[in-house]
Amino acid sequence: MPRIMETLAPTHEVAVDDLPSLLNANIETISECLAAGRFTSVELVKTYLARIEEASYFKAVLQVNPDALTAAQDLDDERKQSGGRGPLHGIPILIKDNIATKDRLDVSAGSFTLLGSKPATESSLVGRLRAAGVVVLGKTNLSEWANFRGLKIRAGWSPRGGQTMGTYYPNSISDGSSSGSAVAAALGLCAAALGTETMGSIVDPAQINNVVGFKPTRGLVGTDGAIPISKRQDIIGTLTRSVKDAAFMLSNMAGRSKLDPMTWQIPFEPIPDFTAYCKGTDLQGVTIGVPRNTFTSSNCSAPIMDSFESALTTLRSAGANVVDSADFPAVDEFKKLNQQIKGIVRSSEFKRDIVDYLATLETNRNDIHSVEDIINFTKTSPAEGYPDHDIGKFLWTQAEGIDVNSEKYSRMVKQEQYYGGEGGILGTIEKYRLDVLVTPSTLGVANDLAAKMGFPVITVPLGFYPDGIPIEHDHGGMVTVAPGMP
């Protein structure tokens, strides 16, 4: 694991041993070092690029930005001439390959279907981050179409990038769909990474790669420029080494976008500095609910539950009022719904929203204009790996009544609002006067319901499986549980 500039010939005398390792470097430390002139953004980018090459086995990075060094040089020159823009000036980040950038990088959702096809405009959120001074290092691998292609495809696989590998055990899963972004954050391939989430796509891979995954409230950040599944649920978030790094990113991501009407209702202006809330551990006055009926001990292994109970003890010792068994009123009804029924709303919205996105393309190399075109290309292009990799979720969109104007869709939207609202998260928060809910990692249905309501979710590292635990594999032989895995 190289330290910053360790692999380079420094342009000025620097005590390399005093510089942070890329594996542990955080935004605050890197920003302070840049401001103090201990290294430059160009030197930092070169070191990250060397680290990306060193860790190529994990297939986390799909594409490197050929103009990253030029951008870094421009920011170094600007710093010399007029000072830094703020804490993100010269900070290198990676971006999931379903978020549009106005540069020479592709935006394809990991699919050859959209390779070479780009919107006319960049994601407004990426534009905000560029204005804050970030350097876009490249694009990360992901579950193809953000895991909305097949029912039997392993998370973290895309035709363009192959299988993203997990970070803590040989041949282990990475989860997804923001697989590459989570692995990149874990391995020190960037200072921070952007992912997207419709339901679990940030927090799931964050959990298994031992990083902080943060999904903001829908409407707090612009989601225009992201290849959609559901514009109502989709959100761009972060994968970072720490909560404070997520706060640095959010402070520069949040705000109204002309291209995303859901951001027009943000109740505060200007956007606050969210890092101001990352001070101390005094939780006096904070009430935390544990909705135990959203997860069961039979679905949670003993090491996870032991770590979770220990975390609750820590929260209590910090002054929090922990309300145990703050259960969701209608969770049993929700659990009875099968996967396809739960997917009716997302299938209907994908069918509509992908057409809207395709209409924004400035170039459309494969003449793709609808879900039907996507299905046809996937089935007929050998590079897409069909039928070994199925298209089960695509086919959901072709079922009867899968339409945003259908009675079936309207009924299910109302059900979702009930299960996540009065019958779930909101009902429980109001009944017990809670500030926040906690669950053991991503297990159970609480995160699903939060996604349907557009509520924020953050996952933080909880621990590791102990020595001696039996190794478990998925149906394809990749490791899912092993000693030392998160």
Side-chain angles (χ1 to χ4, degrees):
M1 163 60 64
R3 292 183 181 275
I4 293 172
M5 297 200 336
E6 193 172 57
T7 58
L8 308 175
T11 57
H12 49 279
E13 190 172 329
V14 176
V16 173
D17 288 344
D18 294 334
L19 296 176
S21 162
L22 292 185
L23 190 61
N24 300 312
N26 58 55
I27 289 175
E28 187 169 30
T29 299
I30 295 172
S31 182
E32 289 172 353
C33 288
L34 287 169
R38 300 189 66 198
F39 49 80
T40 66
S41 292
V42 166
E43 291 166 334
L44 180 62
V45 166
K46 286 182 178 179
T47 308
Y48 273 122
L49 292 175
R51 176 61 177 154
I52 289 171
E53 178 62 28
E54 179 183 67
S56 59
Y57 159 81
F58 293 90
K59 297 184 179 179
V61 177
L62 192 58
Q63 186 180 18
V64 167
N65 184 1
D67 300 314
L69 285 170
T70 300
Q73 184 64 64
D74 290 344
L75 288 162
D76 283 337
D77 293 343
E78 180 184 320
R79 187 187 293 276
K80 289 179 182 178
Q81 295 168 5
S82 56
R85 301 182 191 181
L88 295 189
H89 188 118
I91 298 293
I93 69 168
L94 286 164
I95 297 175
K96 188 177 179 181
D97 182 48
N98 62 346
I99 302 172
T101 54
K102 196 66 175 176
D103 48 29
R104 289 195 281 170
L105 293 169
D106 290 299
V107 52
S108 70
S111 175
F112 288 100
T113 313
L114 292 183
L115 185 61
S117 303
K118 294 190 68 171
T121 58
E122 178 171 81
S123 156
S124 63
L125 183 149
V126 173
R128 282 180 174 274
L129 289 173
R130 286 195 201 271
V134 304
V135 177
V136 176
L137 276 178
K139 292 294 185 72
T140 56
N141 200 8
L142 70 163
S143 307
E144 188 187 15
W145 292 101
N147 199 29
F148 201 77
R149 167 180 164 167
L151 293 167
K152 301 177 183 178
I153 299 176
R154 182 183 287 117
W157 176 85
S158 75
R160 285 192 61 209
Q163 180 64 54
T164 309
M165 307 300 292
T167 52
Y168 278 82
Y169 200 86
N171 195 42
S172 62
I173 61 170
S174 60
D175 221 323
S177 67
S178 301
S179 323
S181 294
V183 171
L187 292 177
L189 310 188
C190 56
L194 294 183
T196 64
E197 176 156 329
T198 308
M199 189 173 68
S201 286
I202 289 174
V203 295
D204 285 0
Q207 166 220 306
I208 207 161
N209 291 288
N210 201 46
V211 296
V212 174
F214 176 57
K215 185 199 83 165
T217 304
R218 180 66 182 98
L220 181 60
V221 303
T223 306
D224 56 278
I227 297 174
I229 294 175
S230 160
K231 285 191 289 188
R232 188 173 56 87
Q233 282 188 214
D234 297 339
I235 189 74
I236 298 173
T238 56
L239 289 303
T240 59
R241 298 289 299 176
S242 71
V243 172
K244 193 169 187 179
D245 281 354
F248 274 116
M249 293 291 287
L250 181 62
S251 298
N252 292 278
M253 290 162 52
R256 298 184 180 99
S257 167
K258 293 179 180 178
L259 300 176
D260 185 349
M262 291 187 74
T263 65
W264 300 351
Q265 304 303 316
I266 293 176
F268 38 76
E269 186 70 34
I271 299 298
D273 176 7
F274 292 103
T275 64
Y277 303 99
C278 298
K279 296 177 180 178
T281 55
D282 183 4
L283 298 181
Q284 293 286 338
V286 176
T287 302
I288 300 173
V290 185
R292 291 198 182 264
N293 70 339
T294 67
F295 58 92
T296 61
S297 57
S298 62
N299 292 328
C300 300
S301 67
I304 291 177
M305 288 307 301
D306 289 346
S307 294
F308 180 64
E309 299 299 341
S310 177
L312 293 180
T313 299
T314 300
L315 293 173
R316 291 188 184 98
S317 67
N321 174 32
V322 177
V323 180
D324 217 330
S325 297
D327 292 337
F328 292 1
V331 73
D332 290 337
E333 297 174 36
F334 179 74
K335 288 179 179 178
K336 292 175 183 176
L337 301 177
N338 66 36
Q339 187 180 12
Q340 186 170 0
I341 292 295
K342 291 178 181 177
I344 286 173
V345 172
R346 282 182 297 141
S347 298
S348 299
E349 290 173 346
F350 178 70
K351 190 174 182 179
R352 174 197 62 195
D353 294 344
I354 195 62
V355 170
D356 291 344
Y357 172 82
L358 294 169
T360 70
L361 297 180
E362 188 173 42
T363 56
N364 192 335
R365 179 174 293 179
N366 293 314
D367 198 30
I368 305 296
H369 300 281
S370 65
V371 176
E372 290 74 21
D373 290 342
I374 294 170
I375 291 172
N376 183 60
F377 184 93
T378 304
K379 292 172 72 173
T380 58
S381 171
E384 285 292 307
Y386 177 85
D388 291 340
H389 296 84
D390 73 292
I391 56 171
K393 290 182 182 177
F394 281 169
L395 296 179
W396 283 356
T397 67
Q398 306 302 293
E400 184 179 353
I402 301 300
D403 189 292
V404 293
N405 297 312
S406 71
E407 188 276 333
K408 181 186 292 187
Y409 169 80
S410 298
R411 185 175 67 252
M412 284 306 300
V413 168
K414 290 179 182 177
Q415 284 192 25
E416 287 189 352
Q417 295 300 299
Y418 169 70
Y419 289 129
E422 178 186 352
I425 296 172
L426 290 182
T428 299
I429 286 175
E430 292 171 2
K431 179 179 179 180
Y432 296 101
R433 298 184 179 181
L434 306 175
D435 296 298
V436 66
L437 293 158
V438 295
T439 63
S441 189
T442 60
L443 300 174
V445 300
N447 289 311
D448 293 357
L449 295 173
K452 294 177 186 302
M453 300 298 290
F455 293 158
V457 177
I458 189 167
T459 181
V460 296
L462 185 62
F464 302 88
Y465 283 106
D467 292 341
I469 194 166
I471 297 173
E472 299 178 15
H473 300 82
D474 66 11
H475 64 276
M478 290 190 71
V479 177
T480 58
V481 173
M485 282 184 65

